[in-house]
Amino acid sequence: MAQGKARVHELAAEFGVTAKDILALLSGWGEFVKSASSTVEAPLARRVREHYAARPPRPITARDYGASAGSNRSALRDDNDFAAAVERARRRSRRTAPSDHKPGEIEAALYRCVIDPTRTRHGGYTPEDRDRVERLLRRWLETWLDDMAEWIRVSGGQHPDVAVKLCAAGLTPADANLRLGFGRIDATRDTIIRRVIRGALGVRDAVSQVKEYRRSQSATGTD
């Protein structure tokens, strides 16, 4: 992973924290950085990376859901209790414990979806890459989700919180990966899960759109 300058929101995504966390950290160091889109010069960005690389991964909490969903209030109103969503997802799960997952398979999916898309070639992972995947692996394994590798693929690997919300609401990875508009496939739109991640679509609205699409499929006899 490049160790040069970076925008605040890029550093936040790199370590699974919010832009506000990065801004607060910089402010505590006496560095004034205006916003999430501001550029952090290479020496300071390196200091931020070293700071977070030295910290143990924190357990996933409701705060993670609020951070990933963005500031869109309608998305947050759907269900801001991440712990409750995890519990519902676990009740839906066919698994009896998180250890039922194969960490190697999930780790490989994270490297493929989170690290590899930014590369021109695979392999040659840096310590920062490995640390980032390890943090995400712990977060994903806490969710107990069925079809975890598929959820990683459709979400881009960095949003286990949103995957849990959609799973708890009854959607599958295939549902979350649909591109829908007015109850039909619309290739010009982003996928359901990516719209939820951006805060452009609430979980309830996502479920409604998928149900409407399924009803239209049943009515026309298509699948």
Side-chain angles (χ1 to χ4, degrees), residues 7 22 32 37 52 56 111-112 149 153 156 167-168 192:
R7 295 187 186 277
I22 301 293
F32 175 74
S37 60
Y52 281 104
Y111 273 113
R112 185 168 58 251
R153 182 182 67 81
C167 177
I192 289 287

Side-chain angles (χ1 to χ4, degrees), residues 150-167:
E150 280 301 296
W151 278 112
I152 289 171
R153 182 182 67 81
V154 301
S155 69
Q158 300 186 67
H159 299 277
D161 48 331
V162 176
V164 163
K165 297 291 292 183
L166 295 177
C167 177

Side-chain angles (χ1 to χ4, degrees), residues 38-53:
S38 298
T39 297
V40 179
E41 293 301 321
L44 190 55
R46 182 167 56 251
R47 186 180 175 190
V48 171
R49 290 185 173 105
E50 290 171 352
H51 170 81
Y52 281 104

Side-chain angles (χ1 to χ4, degrees), residues 14-221:
E14 189 173 324
F15 292 100
V17 298
T18 68
K20 286 184 178 180
D21 291 330
I22 301 293
L23 291 171
L25 177 66
L26 294 174
S27 177
W29 291 344
E31 302 285 349
F32 175 74
V33 180
K34 186 176 180 181
S35 69
S37 60
S38 298
T39 297
V40 179
E41 293 301 321
L44 190 55
R46 182 167 56 251
R47 186 180 175 190
V48 171
R49 290 185 173 105
E50 290 171 352
H51 170 81
Y52 281 104
R55 292 176 54 184
R58 61 178 173 80
I60 194 166
T61 66
R63 181 173 174 274
D64 292 301
Y65 175 70
S68 294
S71 59
N72 184 283
R73 291 183 179 275
S74 64
L76 296 180
R77 274 201 306 268
D78 286 315
D79 181 358
N80 206 25
D81 187 348
F82 180 67
V86 169
E87 185 58 35
R88 288 199 302 276
R90 288 180 178 180
R91 287 199 298 268
R92 287 180 178 274
S93 177
R94 297 184 299 273
R95 302 184 184 279
T96 58
S99 60
D100 289 347
H101 288 292
K102 297 178 180 178
E105 176 188 355
I106 306 308
E107 185 178 43
L110 288 169
Y111 273 113
R112 185 168 58 251
C113 294
V114 177
I115 306 299
D116 283 345
T118 66
R119 296 172 175 270
T120 56
R121 61 184 180 83
H122 298 330
Y125 299 116
T126 67
E128 290 80 10
D129 292 336
R130 291 190 287 272
D131 288 345
R132 185 180 183 191
V133 167
E134 183 179 351
R135 283 192 295 273
L136 286 168
L137 177 64
R138 293 189 183 195
R139 294 180 66 194
W140 277 102
L141 290 178
E142 285 189 51
T143 68
W144 291 24
L145 288 174
D146 295 319
D147 304 316
M148 190 178 295
E150 280 301 296
W151 278 112
I152 289 171
R153 182 182 67 81
V154 301
S155 69
Q158 300 186 67
H159 299 277
D161 48 331
V162 176
V164 163
K165 297 291 292 183
L166 295 177
C167 177
L171 299 190
T172 66
D175 293 330
N177 203 39
L178 289 170
R179 298 173 183 267
L180 299 178
F182 302 103
R184 65 186 67 180
I185 296 293
D186 183 348
T188 66
R189 289 180 177 261
D190 210 344
T191 62
I192 289 287
I193 191 167
R194 293 196 179 277
R195 289 161 65 193
V196 174
I197 288 169
R198 293 201 318 268
L201 185 68
V203 173
R204 290 176 184 166
D205 289 337
V207 172
S208 296
Q209 288 195 19
V210 171
K211 286 183 176 178
E212 182 181 356
Y213 171 70
R214 295 302 182 199
R215 282 195 297 268
S216 69
Q217 294 294 290
S218 297
T220 58

